Amino acid sequence: MLQNQSICIIDDDEVYKFFMQRILKIKKLTENIITFPDGEEAYNFINENKQNPEKLPDLIFLDINMPIMNGFQFMEEYTKLAPQIAKKIIIYMVTSSIDPVDLERSKNFKEISDFVTKPITAEVLQKIVDSLKV
């Protein structure tokens, strides 16, 4: 069953983004996928559309390590913008790092729902998308 949720992937790894999009489409979790190569482009998009909820994603998978604006820098700016956003966006921080410092640092942002380690399996992705329906 295809979901209506819009999912955003913010990651500089093109192979990972392709993999995620493929799983989302094969599992029929969504057709509404937005991708950005860094936090700055994603932030600018959200800022430009903050009062336009139909253009905003329901769910963001945010990588930590990216050029230009990394995941933590994105979150610092996003938290300032969040009160102006016309829609609640669920954010999952994603990384291939197993550094416990990253996990602890992600807990400083109440806007982050959870921390997920790459690669995300189809089962985990299904569970996350299913949780949006609740």
Side-chain angles (χ1 to χ4, degrees):
M1 180 170 95
L2 201 58
Q3 307 299 316
N4 300 354
Q5 290 94 359
S6 175
I7 297 176
C8 178
I9 304 165
I10 306 171
D11 201 303
D12 61 318
D13 184 338
E14 293 300 322
V15 173
Y16 170 75
K17 284 192 292 194
F18 174 80
F19 168 75
M20 287 284 287
Q21 290 177 77
R22 189 96 172 111
I23 290 175
L24 289 166
K25 287 180 181 176
I26 288 171
K27 299 284 272 173
K28 295 183 171 39
L29 298 175
T30 189
E31 283 188 350
N32 305 318
I33 303 168
I34 310 165
T35 65
F36 296 99
D38 61 71
E40 183 177 61
E41 282 190 35
Y43 174 82
N44 289 339
F45 175 82
I46 291 169
N47 189 29
E48 289 166 15
N49 293 288
K50 64 187 170 205
Q51 293 302 314
N52 209 348
E54 63 279 349
K55 288 192 175 185
L56 295 171
D58 297 292
L59 173 64
I60 294 175
F61 289 101
L62 174 65
D63 187 32
I64 292 177
N65 298 310
M66 296 178 287
I68 303 172
M69 180 186 276
N70 69 35
F72 290 118
Q73 292 167 325
F74 171 87
M75 287 308 302
E76 287 167 10
E77 295 306 312
Y78 178 86
T79 55
K80 296 173 197 169
L81 184 63
Q84 302 169 44
I85 299 173
K87 170 183 198 174
K88 181 175 180 0
I89 301 173
I90 308 295
I91 301 174
Y92 278 79
M93 188 155 262
V94 181
T95 186
S96 52
S97 166
I98 55 170
D99 188 346
V101 172
D102 287 339
L103 175 60
E104 286 307 309
R105 189 169 175 199
S106 72
K107 290 178 181 176
N108 292 330
F109 297 96
K110 66 179 174 50
E111 294 83 4
I112 296 176
S113 294
D114 208 347
F115 187 89
V116 184
T117 305
K118 287 182 184 177
I120 299 176
T121 65
E123 293 76 24
V124 169
L125 204 47
Q126 177 83 53
K127 227 183 248 186
I128 290 170
V129 173
D130 286 347
S131 73
L132 295 179
K133 293 185 269 184
V134 179

